[in-house]
Amino acid sequence: MGRLNELRLMSRVAQMYYIEGKRQAEIAEHLRLSQATVSRMLKRAEAEGIVRTTIIPPVGTYAELESALRDRFNLAEAVVVDCSEDRDGAIMSRIGEAAAHLLEVTLSQGEIIGVSSWSQTIFRMVENIHPQKSAQAKYVVQTLGGMGDPSVQTHATQLTTRLARLAGAEPKLLPVQGVTSSREAKLLMLADPFVRETMELFGSITLAIVGIGAVEPSELLARSGNIFSARELADLADAGAVGDISLRFFDKEGKPVKTPLDERVIGINLEELAKVDRVVALAGGQKKTDAIAGALRTGVIDMLITDRFTAERLTASESSADARTFAD
């Protein structure tokens, strides 16, 4: 009976603490126990199975999908947002809102933020961020050249400078084309001291926020002029490319697709991104599913923020691939 009495007392301590909401000191005084004994009993109550933790995810959250993404793509974290329809505009808005909240609650003092400047989803994130009053970043660094068609080139500058203002940081712009006409033109542009100053900060970035693109560029990127020609994009697809991060292309297995075109891009590369402590990717939508899957296999991304429809496709395709591998 000794053990049964011990379990009974353990149960009573747990009831008072977890159900009645009493503090450990109150329990100790009431039951004439030491506070150390109460603390030990609460720990033992968990070990004995008297206390079990149950997490009930709120409606509109997708803990199972997030867990599946973390496990299958070896991600540190994943956020799956609720979305009523599988449509690009709605998806970008929901992802942008979630990313804004994440940045607000996890921003560290003195953070150096790298931001990919030609992403509509990242722009939606910036639209939803509130000005930071406590922790403030040091720099917001533009990680892909922003010059291009004058009618849209302000997008990249505005995104970087607005995020810097909201984060209490100094903007570091990259005032050159994202894609140059030739390797020689790129070398000439890299000689600019302002360009060098910004690119030298790539190695100091502590948080990188990136978009993921399909080989076929987004409407915004296409209008910017920071893209390759249709023939060049077709050559990339023939080489196995399924998507890009800041115009650095990769195949479905996440391996970089290196072509001479890579030498014309002014911006951060995958090797540099891999060294960043925290890389957060914002992407969703039917057209980008293969690109996102490939990006997650590069090993560069630590956290993905996506929509539930895309998360279901990503985890379903992984399950199918696993099944085929097992069958083989």
Side-chain angles (χ1 to χ4, degrees), residues 61-294:
T61 64
Y62 300 92
E64 290 186 3
L65 278 174
E66 291 170 351
S67 179
L69 286 170
R70 288 194 302 269
D71 292 343
R72 291 175 181 171
F73 293 103
N74 194 29
L75 292 169
E77 283 299 332
V79 173
V80 175
V81 301
D82 194 20
C83 200
S84 59
E85 51 186 328
D86 194 2
R87 186 172 54 84
D88 288 350
I91 287 170
M92 286 190 289
S93 294
R94 298 291 84 77
I95 292 175
E97 291 168 3
H101 177 262
L102 174 82
L103 185 64
E104 290 174 358
V105 299
T106 65
L107 186 67
S108 299
Q109 187 70 32
E111 196 105 65
I112 297 179
I113 304 171
V115 61
S116 179
S117 52
W118 292 103
S119 167
Q120 290 172 294
T121 309
I122 294 177
F123 193 75
R124 298 292 179 88
M125 176 197 77
V126 174
E127 287 181 323
N128 283 279
I129 293 174
H130 298 92
Q132 297 300 290
K133 295 180 180 178
S134 53
Q136 294 187 329
K138 184 175 182 180
Y139 299 122
V140 172
V141 182
Q142 185 179 334
T143 56
L144 178 64
M147 302 294 285
D149 187 320
S151 66
V152 293
Q153 70 181 30
T154 55
H155 175 96
T157 303
Q158 287 179 348
L159 188 155
T160 305
T161 54
R162 185 175 179 184
L163 177 56
R165 185 174 68 253
L166 292 167
E170 179 184 348
K172 291 293 184 179
L173 301 175
L174 200 54
V176 288
Q177 292 172 293
V179 178
T180 63
S181 58
S182 66
R183 182 175 180 275
E184 290 71 27
K186 174 181 174 178
L187 292 174
L188 186 63
M189 292 179 188
L190 291 181
D192 185 290
F194 293 104
V195 173
R196 288 203 309 272
E197 181 184 359
T198 295
M199 295 187 71
E200 284 170 1
L201 285 171
F202 288 175
S204 301
I205 292 172
T206 57
L207 165 63
I209 302 170
V210 302
I212 298 171
V215 174
E216 186 67 29
S218 68
E219 180 185 347
L220 175 66
L221 189 58
R223 287 192 292 121
S224 77
N226 286 293
I227 58 169
F228 300 114
S229 69
R231 178 66 262 170
E232 290 167 335
L233 291 172
D235 289 342
L236 280 165
D238 290 342
V242 296
D244 78 281
I245 299 173
S246 296
L247 296 181
R248 306 297 185 175
F249 290 85
F250 47 81
D251 64 17
K252 64 180 182 179
E253 302 301 329
K255 296 176 181 176
V257 174
K258 295 282 189 178
T259 71
L261 304 179
D262 201 56
E263 297 181 0
R264 289 166 44 200
V265 176
I266 297 182
I268 200 166
N269 58 44
L270 296 179
E271 292 80 6
E272 289 169 320
L273 269 177
K275 296 175 183 177
V276 175
D277 183 57
R278 187 165 54 129
V279 178
V280 180
L282 283 51
Q286 174 77 52
K287 295 177 181 177
K288 290 188 177 181
T289 303
D290 289 342
I292 296 169

